[in-house]
Amino acid sequence: MTTAADPAARNRPEGHMNGGRALAEMLRLSGAGPMFGMGGFQLLPFYDALSRLGLRHFLINDERCGAFAADAYARVTNRPGICDGTLGPGATNLVTGLVESLNGGIPVVAIAGDTNRAHSWKNMTQECRQAEILKPAVKELIRVEQTSRIPELTRRAFAIATSGRPGPVLLDVPEDVCHGSHDFTAEDFAIDPTTLSIPARRIRPDRADIERAARLIAAAKRPLLLVGGGIHLSQGYAALQALAEAQSIPVAHTMSGKGGIPCTHPLNVGLFGRYARIANELIEASDCLIVVGCKLGEIATKRYALPPRHIPIIHLEIVAEEIGRCFTPEVALWGDARAGLEDLAETLADNAARHRSARADYVAEIPRRMAAWEEEASPRLNSRDRPVHMARLCRELNRALPADAILVADGGFAGHWTGLLYDTKKSGRHFIPDRGFASIGYGLPGGIGAAMAAPGTPVVALTGDGGFNMMLGELETARRAGLGLTIVVVNNAASGYVKALQHAMMGGRYQSADLSEMDYAAIARAMGVGSIRVEDPEQLGPALAQGMAERDRPTVLDVIVTRDPGQMLPAVDNRTLEIKQGDRVA
Ligand SMILES: Cc1ncc(C[n+]2csc(CCOP(=O)(O)OP(=O)(O)O)c2C)c(N)n1
Ligand SMILES: [Mg+2]
């Protein structure tokens, strides 16, 4: 952390200042982007300093949304997202959003005000054991006990958020620490530039393990790469594509891993797990699986039924203790995804041409299988049904969104349908589902964070009506921020996933699964944002184009989709689906 490596060193403040200002100065020097939060008494000096320093901070209408927006901002920029809440309910409202970031490995620095320690534990207003409540929701909770230590501990928060497997860090700041002051020196405000974006540092897997893995891959006739969200955290795109192409190894991905290589790349075989095009059958027939930055969790494995246990697994993973949790790998590669992929490619390079020709028939299967899938799915993908079929909506998104667009997908059907059918045209974070925690409600605030992270890039947020109901207030935030965000509400007048499961499992007895018929276009209009009601699938393309053309105000597309619970599950016509009690096929 030399001064030379710290370009912000020249701008360091010094002198007598309060804790809130010291915190704001550290965020300024860290180049933090827009922040999302809701104030209260405890953090007032921080807010005042943000204003004086001209930092961008957006009042949100629910702290959970601030955490979601910060999460999406971080996914797009690879820099820690910043959010804050006041003590008590402000802090506890952060929990769901922080768990999303924790499970997704997303770097976030969250700030919570806490009670004045002169009066703590005297039933202060809004007092609760917030540190205990928030601790398991974050990678690290740092309680700041001295005003003088604010710069040091903010630096620590960035270092933890961006190192190893990234994650959220909470700075818990008592009121007296924030309002109290200290004589700071310029040196106090040092920044470690390597910790301002992910991955802070890279670690390579052990050489002997790489060689064992390379031998396994070299001997395989049908190797397959299974890629999770870690590919984004490592930005291992070029390394993944290079290995796949050099060795003729197809790539399947989880919802979070979509975009490791473009979906339109000939070696991309699409989503695997609970829903899949052709990837699951390729897994079944594989003789070597290379799992990259993927936890092999419930959905990726169809509740641990995939992959079959006899197929050897090479597991490349940054968190050592994740290895072996759900499946025992033949070879464990502990390290950064990009570094591990590069090392595998290099070790296998000499025989690349031989491997490619040996796998020519294997790779030639992919377009044939994809064509067969496409033919079978075609009636749904091209459906002219009114209400709109979800598959048709996905196809229209594929048509309308340009290669650099970002699609944010909410936790319910929105994420599952687009996880299966949305095609990214470039590698990178062009598809953002909240698969860390799969909370509904991420769509709109996630869209806000993504739109702020990528000004000028078309951002479309797809959300269920249930998820949108949770978040309606954030439409006001998006309007105030002047964001040209397109919000597509999947209006099925239902808590659809629940309804579809009740249809399949409970003989069509529905309980607490229906929502009112709502006119979200009218609501959007009343809230002063653009609005289009879409009932005809032919209108989808023009409506998406109109939404994306708006540069400085959000547009809500209220898309009326199927109300038939037998047609709601992705790629399954569950009028014919039979699920036994306890099964989890959907
Ligand atoms: C916060 C939260 N509560 C409950 C769930 C369980 N859940 C998953 S999908 C779903 C239905 C959501 O309805 P909606 O947002 O309208 O989406 P749809 O399934 O109808 O497309 C629910 C309740 C969840 N994922 N997150
Ligand atoms: Mg719904």
Side-chain angles (χ1 to χ4, degrees):
M1 201 174 15
T2 62
T3 306
D6 175 3
R10 289 183 303 280
N11 296 317
R12 289 179 192 167
E14 60 185 321
H16 199 71
M17 71 185 84
N18 64 40
R21 162 130 183 248
L23 180 54
E25 293 280 8
M26 281 301 287
L27 295 178
R28 176 179 68 81
L29 293 165
S30 305
M35 310 167 201
F36 309 92
M38 185 184 281
F41 180 75
Q42 289 65 32
L43 295 181
L44 278 186
F46 171 61
Y47 273 54
D48 187 51
L50 293 176
S51 147
R52 284 163 183 260
L53 294 172
L55 299 182
R56 293 174 76 210
H57 183 282
F58 290 89
L59 169 63
I60 37 72
N61 285 293
D62 180 330
E63 293 82 353
R64 174 179 43 162
C65 302
F68 283 154
D71 177 278
Y73 178 87
R75 288 183 203 231
V76 175
T77 60
N78 296 316
R79 301 167 69 84
I82 315 284
C83 59
D84 62 81
T86 190
L87 96 129
T92 57
N93 272 351
L94 290 170
V95 170
T96 303
L98 292 175
V99 177
E100 171 60 37
S101 304
L102 180 69
N103 292 357
I106 308 302
V108 166
V109 174
I111 300 152
D114 207 337
T115 47
N116 187 317
R117 290 169 304 168
H119 298 293
S120 297
W121 310 125
K122 285 160 58 180
N123 293 330
M124 293 191 79
T125 178
Q126 301 187 314
E127 180 168 27
C128 73
R129 292 191 175 265
Q130 68 186 49
E132 283 96 321
I133 292 169
L134 282 155
K135 197 166 190 327
V138 290
K139 186 173 174 189
E140 184 82 279
L141 185 142
I142 302 176
R143 166 91 168 172
V144 186
E145 298 285 3
Q146 281 181 21
T147 305
S148 61
R149 296 191 67 192
I150 282 182
E152 170 206 344
L153 294 176
T154 308
R155 202 158 45 239
R156 184 87 203 116
F158 273 83
I160 297 168
T162 56
S163 299
R165 181 169 201 258
V169 179
L170 187 96
L171 284 168
D172 189 67
V173 187
E175 176 193 303
D176 51 306
V177 170
C178 188
H179 289 245
S181 48
H182 175 76
D183 276 319
F184 289 95
T185 65
E187 290 69 43
D188 288 330
F189 291 94
I191 298 288
D192 181 351
T194 56
T195 64
L196 300 181
S197 61
I198 59 163
R201 296 178 182 86
R202 294 185 192 273
I203 177 145
R204 309 196 92 83
D206 185 88
R207 200 64 229 172
D209 293 335
I210 287 283
E211 270 155 28
R212 282 174 55 219
R215 280 199 294 278
L216 213 56
I217 296 169
K221 295 188 170 62
R222 303 178 65 88
L224 184 63
L225 280 149
L226 302 182
V227 174
I231 198 70
H232 295 292
L233 302 174
S234 163
Q235 289 135 69
Y237 311 119
L240 175 64
Q241 189 164 330
L243 177 68
E245 286 175 354
Q247 301 293 323
S248 284
I249 308 178
V251 181
H253 57 80
T254 63
M255 287 157 83
S256 302
K258 190 191 278 286
I261 63 171
C263 292
T264 47
H265 190 286
L267 286 171
N268 192 323
V269 297
L271 186 70
F272 71 95
R274 182 183 289 175
Y275 303 110
R277 303 183 194 184
I278 63 167
N280 287 357
E281 59 203 53
L282 288 169
I283 290 177
E284 302 264 4
S286 173
D287 56 359
C288 177
L289 296 166
I290 308 149
V291 179
V292 180
C294 173
K295 291 176 284 193
L296 291 175
E298 176 184 355
I299 294 190
T301 61
K302 298 184 88 172
R303 199 167 263 199
Y304 315 103
L306 269 181
R309 305 283 157 156
H310 67 272
I311 305 172
I313 292 176
I314 297 163
H315 196 175
L316 170 55
E317 169 59 48
I318 189 79
V319 182
E321 52 271 38
E322 279 303 328
I323 296 170
R325 186 198 287 275
C326 304
F327 291 82
T328 308
E330 183 87 12
V331 183
L333 301 176
W334 177 27
D336 173 73
R338 188 182 91 184
L341 290 165
E342 284 168 354
D343 289 355
L344 284 174
E346 188 196 300
T347 310
L348 287 160
D350 286 350
N351 295 314
R354 189 162 55 78
H355 294 153
R356 278 200 304 277
S357 73
R359 292 174 190 144
D361 289 348
Y362 171 42
V363 164
E365 283 175 26
I366 295 169
R368 284 203 302 275
R369 285 178 188 260
M370 273 293 191
W373 170 81
E374 166 93 31
E375 197 182 315
E376 189 274 324
S378 169
R380 297 187 290 279
L381 291 166
N382 299 306
S383 164
R384 290 169 175 271
D385 284 0
R386 292 172 64 141
V388 174
H389 197 288
M390 280 300 287
R392 176 70 190 270
L393 172 58
C394 294
R395 172 142 285 191
E396 294 300 330
L397 288 166
N398 284 340
R399 288 199 177 120
L401 269 57
D404 64 337
I406 298 170
L407 180 68
V408 180
D410 204 51
F413 274 150
H416 285 288
W417 273 98
T418 49
L420 179 67
L421 297 178
Y422 182 64
D423 288 332
T424 59
K425 292 136 190 135
K426 281 210 290 204
S427 54
R429 281 266 197 208
H430 297 284
F431 176 66
I432 302 185
D434 58 323
R435 296 317 301 177
F437 211 20
S439 173
I440 61 167
Y442 183 93
L444 173 52
I448 291 175
M452 291 206 187
T457 302
V459 177
V460 176
L462 190 69
T463 174
D465 41 5
F468 191 55
N469 288 343
M470 274 183 172
M471 296 294 156
L472 267 175
E474 297 313 321
L475 214 44
E476 185 279 329
T477 310
R479 175 189 155 168
R480 181 164 26 88
L483 292 177
L485 167 69
T486 304
I487 302 128
V488 177
V489 182
V490 177
N491 184 340
N492 56 10
S495 197
Y497 216 132
V498 177
K499 192 166 184 176
L501 290 175
Q502 289 175 344
H503 176 88
M505 300 184 66
M506 305 298 166
R509 289 185 309 281
Y510 303 116
Q511 173 62 52
S512 305
D514 287 311
L515 294 168
S516 304
E517 285 288 346
M518 299 282 276
D519 184 343
Y520 293 102
I523 292 169
R525 217 162 22 250
M527 291 180 78
V529 308
S531 65
I532 308 171
R533 183 176 169 93
V534 180
E535 298 182 42
D536 178 351
E538 303 299 322
Q539 285 175 287
L540 281 166
L544 284 164
Q546 192 178 326
M548 287 188 289
E550 286 278 3
R551 280 279 152 253
D552 50 17
R553 70 165 186 166
T555 305
V556 171
L557 270 51
D558 185 13
V559 180
I560 312 306
V561 303
T562 184
R563 269 117 179 89
D564 175 0
Q567 287 192 43
M568 285 183 179
L569 291 173
V572 183
D573 185 341
N574 68 359
R575 281 169 299 200
T576 56
L577 182 73
E578 267 186 48
I579 306 180
K580 293 195 293 294
Q581 204 81 35
D583 278 358
R584 187 74 212 252
V585 300

